Structure formats: structure tokens, C-alpha cells
């Protein structure tokens, strides 16, 4: 009785509030109402659609910040139904209302929270409720994204998705390296997931501003990714942006300003320490290398970076049309002087609904302009190793340089002069237009046609002025290139959704056509300029010197086409038993004439156990689903129209005599391979999803076995059988086996306070199972030839061999020092000697593959305050610290600077810098990646203002002695810190979010 009266009292209060809100709801408004959350508070931003139940004509509005809404443009009559929808709540409907002239209808509705298993997620060519998924799919919402100075959408997911390994440096012009569930290819640059943006396959991730993203879905297993066939072996990342809105116009603005500084560095010897070390060992510097200075070169080339970001978004709509637009501006100043990135993104989208919503037309326009200011690669090494005993400039104002010296990798150059005298700039203009028409042909049958065109214009500019040590004697050197890449896509597909009794079926059938035309452009150069003032802007002012050779580059046009047919069937019985099957047939012009078509099937099933009769009395279980799936997908990343064809080019060292001149000969540089085909990845995935205690505890466990075959690698062949001595062929195989665990909990939730915490863990074991077959034989491949000063004969410091993971280190084994303080190494028999430095003494010494990836996120809310902190890390991997090896060279201490730790080494140790397992260090770390404190101000109507302060990379726990253990884990040679590492940054951010 008590609860019945309380419920009635709440309804009376709600109706009282509606009647009291006279200034908001004028008497002429035919419909007004309030939307409440389960706790009885008004919910802002709820979309309320009034739809005539017979004609299906509708009008839309949105609730205010206090949950109030009204309609002023409803035609009298009926019956009407009112549909309420909002993210995080179940869609609800009030039906059977008749609107009469001069009368008012007052509505009140309390929304119910939407369980995770009922939320819709985007899958290929459609959507699905989470409870209906049979594959491994992880959804990430905006409130879960990483915060900070974000230059690429990939950074938003760092540490947030089990099995997804994302690494980035502090360089604002670099993209993060992304790899999902371990490496599946030997090839460099062929391990990144496939991106689908608003349904456009292969769209550039640089088109998306982080603030414009509505959600991101990560498709992990082949049962989820096979619908994208030949491009999905590395997983699929689907990005869905904020599109045309509905109801009253909404304006939002977000901005932040940030400062960034170096978070860690390698401590180098000061000028005085170096002089003392050399003096104690009976050595001195020559006059050109010592002017009495104590220069901190790292300090001279770095700064506190100031960055700021602004995003303006506006959307709204009426009865039959909706619109949206946004503008984003990011200026990310690098911590190394003269480096940085500036980006401007403009988006516009609209939707028109016709024929009583049976036809929907969408048009999206996006333009992104990015300017990258880069630096010479030699800066990275020289800012550590340039002698601190000389000043930045000489007494006459010119830079301190020694033109006779080239000791060390990349040369010995004044790092400040490298920044001042060399200018590198890249400009990329990206344009994407995509339109779609969705027609409801019959009840449950829709046809969608989508057309898109992406145009990418890349301009690269370089200028070395007359004082540049990189182009001595050129008297100014300029180089320019301009290349255009275009991508055209057409997709046409039918979706049929039918429910009959306890049975539900969704069918998909489609066709796809894509054409990529790349490399349409040119490159040229000039030298001997009268002035440096114009940089590269007028190559016609170059004069040459009579023997100048113009650098025309290696740009060439290639056109690649992809044609696909695909289908999918999803069956659901009583919501308990779920089945899915997909099939895609792809044809690509990139591959050999014998293998241009491939089939990519998948099957999967799910069992919603909690819906069984024997579970009905288990009250604490809200969701319990068992999933299993198997499928095959392909990898065609990194191929162009000529990959499988015979290619001719210049033969260096070969000449022929013609018309009184010796000319470079032309000959084969690549063999034809008519049998070249896709790398294929077959994945078996078994998963369990659960939700307990009214979903206060939820999560998933996935176990997978991923096997990749037909791996592509170059093999030596006889020139008696082939025109060229190397053939690119499908030979190898590797496996990735792992387990992933995700847990989301809400330990505390009251009216004023809540705590949400989530953790994800993933373990992956990679193994190369084959690099030979009946036609092509190889025992191993050596990679990562990073070199060591004075060390010769090494073919590589990583090895690709059957039974080992990709990224296995192959080095000498350090045996300590002899009595003279010189480094010793073990031979194959375990004997220690200073002479054991030959390649025959190299052995496998560790792996770059991590044993565990983890992330832990916590969000606290108290009234208007919110606080979040996020910890992530890696465990069990090794890093080859080739940077420290190069700096630990006491024998070269009178030529380049040494690490402070080297001051304890013998100056006679001529092998201290040799790459060995001495420099193979633990790459494990735990990082407090972000902490954010915010406060939201309550304002009238739907307006809100949130202010926040955030810190990124606040601290790190690691044993690694280098700059940072977050080393690139993608590509053919993961886990190598090789003298080219842009320092990681620590940032302080202040921002706001304002909604009107």
C-alpha cells in the first residue's frame, strides 16, 4: 500500500510541475510533458517523436535540461503515438492519443535504463542488439574515450579494448601504431586494422575529429570481420560520427588548451664531466671540439609545447529533414622546436525523409586540411650525442660545426643548426563526399545504395638553406612533390528483417565496387638559389651548376579495382538461440591472374542462457550468453596494381653505349607471380558475455585461435628461371592464440554519488609455424639491422624462424668485463672472450611480444563533480635499447658525447657499445595515463557548462632505461628503440564543454 501511494504521489508531483511551468508551456501548446529518469530527475536531450499511427507523418522535439518538452505544430486528429529515445535508456512509446483543437495533452514518462545487452551496435552493413551478437565486438562510447591532446582517432582507444595494442610517440605528426590480437603478417605496414567510417570502407581516419565521434566498434574475430573479406584479417574498426540531428536545433562547443613537456630522457654527460673523464684517461679534445662550453643540447632543441583544440557542432531538424555541421581546429605544437601539426576539419551532413519515411536520403561532406611541420631525422641522435663541450654558435655568430666529421649514425651535426637550416613541411588535403539512399520497398525489406569519393592531395616540401650541413656546397636546395590519391566506392545492398512467431530472421545481400587511383603526381628539385628567403616557393629561381641532376622521385600512377559480392543470414529463435553465416567473394586486380578471386566465409552461434526456463529463478543473472564462431578473412593491405607483375627499372652499375654516351641500362626489378594471392587468416573464437546484479557487474571472456597462412615474403630464386633474383610469394604461416577478459562494475551508486570501474586484460602468444614450402625454402630471415658502432658482420638483430614469435631478438650474449675492463661475449659453447663478436655467436635472446596488456578505468561522480583516472600497461616484453648502446661508447668519448652512466666504464673498452643482450631490457610498465577532474554547472533550459582539468602521462613505473618503454609494437621489427625516438610528453590540459 505504501509503495502504491508513493507511486501515485510521484505522478501527481510530475503533473503539478507540468502545470506550474506556465512560462515554458503557453496555453496554446497542444502537447506538453516531462521525461524522467528512474530516480525521478528530468532527462535532458531526449528525442520525442509524435507519429500519426495511420499516416506515419511525424514531428520531433527534444527535452530541455530539466526534462520538459512540448509540441506546437501537431495537426489535430489522431491517433498519435509518442516515441521517447535516448542513449543509455530503453526506447519507450505512449500510444492512442487524440489531439483536439483548444485542448491540451499532458504526458509524463519515466525512462528505464537500457542494459548493455539491449543496446544497438554497428556491424557491417547494419546494426544489431548486443544481445543478438554472436561475434567478438567491443563498443566504446565517447564518455569512455581517452582524453588529452589527441591528434588521431586511434589514440582514443589506447588501453580501452582488450587485445588492441596501440603505441605512439610524442611526435604530433606521427600516427599511432595499431595492432589487434597480435601480428598476422611479415610485411611492414600490413598489420593495421581496416577502418570503416560511417559505412565508407577504407576511408581515411584523418577525416575524423575526435569530438565528432558518436561511437567506435572494434570487430575482432573473423565471424564479425568476414563481411569485409579480403581487407579484414587484422580486424575492423568502425567509426560512427554524429550525423544529422532531430528536433530543436542544438549547439555545442568544446575546447581545451594544453601544455606539454618531456616526461623522461636519457641523462648525458655534461661538458665538465666529459672533460674530466677524458683527462683521467689521458685524452683531450681538439680545439674545434672544445671551446669551454657546457651545452645541454636537449634543452637547446626542446620547448614547452602549447596546444589548443576547438570544436563547434550544430544540428537540428524538422518533420522531414535533419541537418548537422561541425568545425574542428587543432594546433598541436611539438616539444621539439619547429615541429608541430595544424589541422582544420569541416563537416556537413543532412537527411531528407520522403514518402512517409519510406525513403531516406543522406548526404555527408567532410574536408580535412593538415599541415605537418617536421624535423630532420638526424636531430634525434645528435640532440643526445653532439659534444656538450662546444657552444651552439661560434663567436662570429655562425653555428658550431665540424664539416669533416660524420661519426655516428646519420652524421655528426649541430642539432640546433639542423632545426634552423632545414625546413620540412607536409600538407594533406582530404575531401570525402558520400551519399546514401535507403528505400523501404516492402514491410521489412530495405534497399540501400551508397556512393562515396575520397580525394587526397599530398604536397611535400623540403628546403636545405646554403648553410645546411645536409647539402654542403648546394647553395640552397629545394624539393617539392605533389601527389593525388582518389578512392571511389559504390555499395548496394538489401536488408530483410522478418519476425514470425518465435522466429526472427535478418538477411543481407550486396554488391561492392571500389577503385583506388594512387600516385598521380610528380616530384622535382632545384639548387643554387640566389636567396634562401623564398624557400621552395619558386624553383624557377634555381640555377644549377652545369652538372645538376634533378630529383624526380619515384612517383607512379597505379589503379587498383576491387569487386565484391556478399551476403549474411542471421537467425534468432525465441531470443535464445542465435545463428549467423556470412560469405563474401572478393576480386582484386592487385593479385596474380590465377588468384584474383577469393572466398571468405564465416559461421557463428550464440546461446542466451539466461532466457532458459531453468534460469528464471536465478535472480542475480541478467545476461549470460555463450558465443562461438569460425571464419576466414584476408589481408590485402600494402598492395598496388603492380605487386604481382613484372616490373622494369634502372640497373645501377649496368650501362650501354648510345650516340656517344654511356647510359644506365633498363632491366627487370620485380618478377611476375601469377599465383600471388591474399594472406588468409582463419579464426576460431569462443566467448562468454555476462551481466549480474542488474548489470552492476558485467563483462566478457574470449578465447581465440588465429591462424594465418599464405604469408607473403621475398624469396631468393635462380636467374636461370626468373628475370630477377627475388620473387614475392605466398609461403609462410603463423598463429596467434590468446585470451581476453573485460569486467565492468558499479560498486557504489546512490542519488549523489557513483563509482564505475572497468578493467581489461589480454594475453596473446604469437608463433611462426612455417616459412618454407615445396617450391620455396628458407631456414630463417634476418631483420632489424640497426648496427652498432664498430660492429660489423651482423645480418640483423631480429630473426624470423619457425617456432619463434615475430620480433625475436638475435644478438650476442654479454659476458661482463675482463680484467682490463673490456666487454666479453659468450660463444655457442658458453666460453667468454672479447673476441666472440662474430655473427656465428649470435643467438635468440628474447621476444618483443608482450605477455599481457591491461587497462583500468575509474569514474567517480559526486553531485556536479566528476573525477576519472585511467591506468594502463604492458607486461612481459623485451626492448632492444639500441639508443643507449650507441651512447655507451667510451672509446668514442672524444668524438661524441656519452651517457652519464658510461663515465664508470673503461675508456679502452672498444666493444661496450656492441649490440648484445646487455641492451635487451624489460619493456614492462604501468602508466597513470590520465586523471581528469570536472564540474558541471546547472543552467536554464537545455544549456550546460562543464569545466575540467586533466593531466596525461602523470607517472610511469618501469625498469626500462631508455626514454620511454612505449615502443612501436607493429610492423616487421617490433620492440626496437633505435636512435630515432621522439620523446614522450607529459601534458596539463584545461578545457570546457558548452551545450546550448
Amino acid at each position: 500500500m505504501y509503495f502504491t501511494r508513493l507511486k501515485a504521489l510521484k505522478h501527481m508531483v510530475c503533473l503539478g510541475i507540468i502545470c506550474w511551468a506556465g512560462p515554458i508551456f503557453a496555453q496554446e501548446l497542444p502537447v506538453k510533458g516531462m521525461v524522467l529518469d528512474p530516480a525521478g530527475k528530468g532527462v535532458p536531450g531526449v528525442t520525442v517523436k509524435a507519429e500519426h499511427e495511420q499516416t506515419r507523418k511525424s514531428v520531433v522535439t527534444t527535452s530541455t535540461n530539466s526534462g520538459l518538452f512540448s509540441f506546437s505544430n501537431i495537426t489535430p486528429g489522431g491517433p498519435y503515438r509518442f516515441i521517447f529515445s535516448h542513449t543509455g535508456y530503453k526506447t519507450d512509446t505512449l500510444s492512442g492519443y487524440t489531439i483536439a483543437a483548444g485542448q491540451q495533452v499532458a504526458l509524463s514518462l519515466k525512462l528505464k535504463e537500457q542494459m548493455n545487452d539491449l543496446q544497438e551496435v554497428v556491424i557491417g552493413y547494419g546494426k544489431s542488439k548486443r544481445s543478438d551478437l554472436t561475434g567478438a565486438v567491443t563498443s566504446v562510447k565517447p564518455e569512455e574515450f581517452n582524453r588529452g591532446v589527441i591528434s588521431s582517432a586511434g589514440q582514443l582507444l589506447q588501453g580501452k579494448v582488450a587485445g588492441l595494442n596501440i603505441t605512439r610517440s610524442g611526435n604530433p605528426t606521427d600516427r599511432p601504431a595499431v595492432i589487434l590480437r597480435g601480428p598476422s603478417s611479415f610485411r611492414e605496414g600490413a598489420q593495421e586494422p581496416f577502418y570503416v567510417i560511417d559505412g565508407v570502407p577504407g576511408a581515411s581516419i584523418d577525416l575524423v575529429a575526435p569530438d565528432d565521434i558518436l561511437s567506435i566498434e572494434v570487430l575482432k574475430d573473423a565471424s564479425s570481420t568476414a563481411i569485409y573479406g579480403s581487407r579484414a584479417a587484422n580486424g575492423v574498426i568502425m567509426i560512427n560520427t554524429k550525423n544529422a540531428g532531430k528536433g530543436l536545433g542544438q549547439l555545442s562547443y568544446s575546447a581545451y588548451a594544453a601544455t606539454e613537456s618531456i616526461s623522461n630522457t636519457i641523462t648525458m654527460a655534461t661538458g665538465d664531466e666529459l672533460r674530466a673523464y677524458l683527462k683521467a684517461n689521458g685524452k683531450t679534445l681538439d680545439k674545434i671540439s672544445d671551446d669551454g662550453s657546457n651545452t645541454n643540447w636537449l634543452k637547446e632543441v626542446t620547448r614547452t609545447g602549447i596546444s589548443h583544440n576547438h570544436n563547434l557542432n550544430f544540428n537540428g531538424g524538422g518533420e522531414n529533414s535533419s541537418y548537422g555541421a561541425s568545425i574542428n581546429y587543432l594546433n598541436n605544437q611539438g616539444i621539439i622546436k619547429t615541429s608541430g601539426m595544424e589541422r582544420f576539419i569541416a563537416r556537413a551532413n543532412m537527411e531528407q525523409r520522403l514518402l512517409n519515411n519510406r525513403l531516406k536520403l543522406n548526404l555527408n561532406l567532410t574536408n580535412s586540411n593538415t599541415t605537418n611541420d617536421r624535423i630532420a631525422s638526424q636531430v634525434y641522435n645528435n640532440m643526445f650525442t653532439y659534444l656538450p663541450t662546444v657552444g651552439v654558435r661560434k663567436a662570429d655568430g655562425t653555428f658550431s660545426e665540424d664539416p669533416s666529421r660524420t661519426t655516428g649514425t646519420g652524421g655528426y651535426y649541430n642539432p640546433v643548426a639542423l632545426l634552423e637550416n632545414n625546413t620540412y613541411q607536409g600538407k594533406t588535403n582530404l575531401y570525402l563526399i558520400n551519399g546514401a539512399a535507403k528505400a523501404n520497398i516492402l514491410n521489412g525489406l530495405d534497399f540501400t545504395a551508397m556512393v562515396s569519393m575520397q580525394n587526397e592531395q599530398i604536397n611535400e616540401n623540403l628546403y636545405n638553406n646554403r648553410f645546411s650541413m645536409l647539402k654542403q656546397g648546394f647553395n640552397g636546395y629545394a624539393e617539392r612533390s605533389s601527389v593525388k590519391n582518389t578512392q571511389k566506392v559504390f555499395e548496394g545492398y538489401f536488408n530483410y528483417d522478418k519476425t514470425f512467431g518465435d522466429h526472427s530472421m535478418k538477411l543481407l545481400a550486396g554488391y561492392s565496387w571500389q577503385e583506388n587511383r594512387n600516385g598521380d603526381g610528380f616530384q622535382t628539385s632545384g639548387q643554387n638559389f640566389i636567396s634562401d628567403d623564398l624557400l621552395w616557393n619558386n624553383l624557377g629561381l634555381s640555377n644549377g651548376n652545369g652538372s645538376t641532376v634533378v630529383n624526380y622521385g619515384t612517383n607512379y600512377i597505379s589503379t587498383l579495382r576491387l569487386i565484391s559480392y556478399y551476403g549474411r543470414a542471421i537467425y534468432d529463435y525465441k531470443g535464445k538461440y542465435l545463428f549467423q553465416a556470412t560469405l563474401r567473394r572478393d576480386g582484386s586486380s592487385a593479385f596474380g591472374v590465377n588468384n584474383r578471386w577469393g572466398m571468405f566465409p564465416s559461421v557463428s552461434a550464440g546461446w542466451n542462457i539466461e532466457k532458459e526456463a531453468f534460469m528464471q529463478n536465478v535472480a542475480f543473472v541478467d545476461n549470460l550468453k555463450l558465443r562461438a564462431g569460425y571464419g576466414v578473412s584476408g589481408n590485402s593491405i600494402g598492395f598496388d596494381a603492380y605487386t604481382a607483375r613484372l616490373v622494369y627499372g634502372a640497373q645501377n652499375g649496368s650501362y650501354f653505349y648510345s650516340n656517344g654516351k654511356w647510359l644506365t641500362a633498363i632491366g627487370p626489378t620485380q618478377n611476375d607471380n601469377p599465383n600471388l594471392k591474399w594472406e588468409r587468416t582463419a579464426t576460431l573464437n569462443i566467448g562468454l558475455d555476462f551481466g549480474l546484479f542488474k548489470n552492476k557487474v558485467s563483462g566478457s571472456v574470449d578465447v581465440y585461435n588465429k591462424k594465418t597462412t599464405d604469408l607473403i615474403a621475398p624469396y631468393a630464386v635462380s636467374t636461370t628461371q626468373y628475370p630477377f633474383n627475388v620473387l614475392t610469394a605466398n609461403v609462410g604461416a603463423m598463429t596467434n592464440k590468446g585470451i581476453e577478459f573485460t569486467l565492468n562494475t558499479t560498486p557504489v551508486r546512490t542519488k549523489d554519488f557513483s563509482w564505475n570501474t572497468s578493467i581489461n586484460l589480454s594475453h596473446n602468444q604469437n608463433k611462426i609455424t612455417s616459412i618454407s614450402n615445396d617450391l620455396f625454402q628458407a631456414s630463417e630471415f634476418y631483420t632489424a639491422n640497426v648496427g652498432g658502432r664498430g660492429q660489423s658482420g651482423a645480418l640483423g638483430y631480429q630473426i624470423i624462424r619457425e617456432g619463434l614469435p615475430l620480433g625475436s631478438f638475435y644478438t650476442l650474449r654479454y659476458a661482463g668485463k675482463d680484467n682490463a675492463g673490456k666487454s666479453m661475449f659468450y660463444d655457442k659453447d658458453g666460453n667468454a672472450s672479447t673476441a666472440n663478436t662474430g655473427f656465428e655467436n649470435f643467438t635468440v635472446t628474447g621476444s618483443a611480444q608482450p605477455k599481457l596488456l591491461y587497462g583500468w578505468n575509474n569514474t567517480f561522480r559526486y553531485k556536479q563533480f566528476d573525477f576519472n583516472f585511467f591506468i594502463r600497461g604492458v607486461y612481459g616484453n623485451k626492448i632492444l635499447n639500441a639508443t643507449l648502446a650507441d651512447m655507451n661508447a667510451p672509446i668514442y668519448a672524444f668524438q661524441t658525447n656519452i651517457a652519464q652512466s658510461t663515465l664508470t666504464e673503461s675508456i679502452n673498452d672498444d666493444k661496450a657499445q656492441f649490440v648484445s643482450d646487455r641492451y635487451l631490457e624489460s619493456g614492462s610498465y604501468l602508466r597513470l595515463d590520465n586523471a581528469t577532474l570536472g564540474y558541471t554547472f546547472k543552467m536554464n533550459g537545455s544549456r550546460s557548462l562543464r569545466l575540467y582539468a586533466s593531466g596525461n602521462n602523470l607517472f610511469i613505473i618501469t625498469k626500462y632505461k631508455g626514454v620511454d618503454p612505449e615502443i612501436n609494437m607493429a610492423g616487421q621489427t617490433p620492440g626496437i628503440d633505435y636512435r630515432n625516438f621522439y620523446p614522450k610528453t607529459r601534458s596539463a590540459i584545461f578545457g570546457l564543454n558548452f551545450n546550448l
Side-chain angles (χ1 to χ4, degrees), residues 220-419:
K220 299 179 181 181
D221 65 333
S223 65
S224 303
T225 64
I227 195 66
Y228 287 105
S230 63
R231 297 167 290 181
N234 301 322
V236 177
I237 295 179
M238 307 193 70
I239 299 176
N240 314 294
T241 63
K242 299 173 183 177
N243 291 316
K246 296 179 181 179
L248 300 176
Q250 293 182 323
L251 177 67
S252 63
Y253 170 72
S254 60
Y256 68 75
T259 63
E260 292 186 276
S261 57
I262 292 178
S263 59
N264 189 36
T265 185
I266 297 175
T267 304
M268 304 300 293
T270 66
D272 288 339
E273 288 173 336
L274 184 62
R275 292 187 192 95
Y277 177 73
L278 292 172
K279 183 178 179 181
N281 288 278
K283 297 183 180 295
T284 58
L285 295 165
D286 57 34
K287 292 183 179 180
I288 197 172
S289 300
D290 188 1
D291 61 12
S293 298
N294 265 296
T295 304
N296 184 330
W297 290 104
L298 184 63
K299 184 177 180 180
E300 293 292 338
V301 301
T302 57
R303 64 188 173 190
T304 297
I306 306 295
S307 301
H308 54 101
N309 180 81
H310 308 268
N311 197 88
L312 183 66
N313 185 287
F314 180 70
N315 63 68
E319 181 177 353
N320 293 313
S321 61
S322 304
Y323 56 86
S326 68
I327 297 174
N328 179 264
Y329 175 77
L330 170 64
N331 190 315
N332 188 186
Q333 189 181 70
I335 59 171
I336 296 183
K337 295 175 181 177
T338 75
S339 68
M341 187 266 278
E342 184 180 42
R343 185 183 64 200
F344 180 85
I345 300 176
R347 299 176 65 247
N349 49 80
M350 62 166 290
E351 178 182 288
Q352 183 68 38
R353 298 175 289 277
L354 305 168
L355 305 176
N356 290 331
N357 287 330
R358 298 184 75 92
L359 177 64
K360 294 181 180 180
L361 303 177
N362 290 278
L363 180 64
N364 300 277
L365 302 172
T366 308
N367 182 241
S368 170
N369 279 279
T370 303
T371 300
N372 289 315
D373 292 316
R374 306 188 182 96
I375 60 175
S377 61
Q378 293 86 351
V379 171
Y380 300 120
N381 188 50
N382 281 277
M383 67 184 183
F384 289 110
T385 60
Y386 205 80
L387 287 172
T389 52
V390 295
V392 176
R393 295 180 183 269
K394 300 176 184 177
D396 60 4
T398 60
F399 285 110
S400 299
E401 294 277 17
D402 186 353
S404 65
R405 297 264 306 281
T406 56
T407 300
T409 301
Y412 180 74
Y413 306 108
N414 183 322
V416 178
L418 286 172
L419 297 178

Side-chain angles (χ1 to χ4, degrees), residues 25 154 267 540 955:
F25 295 133
T267 304
F955 72 77

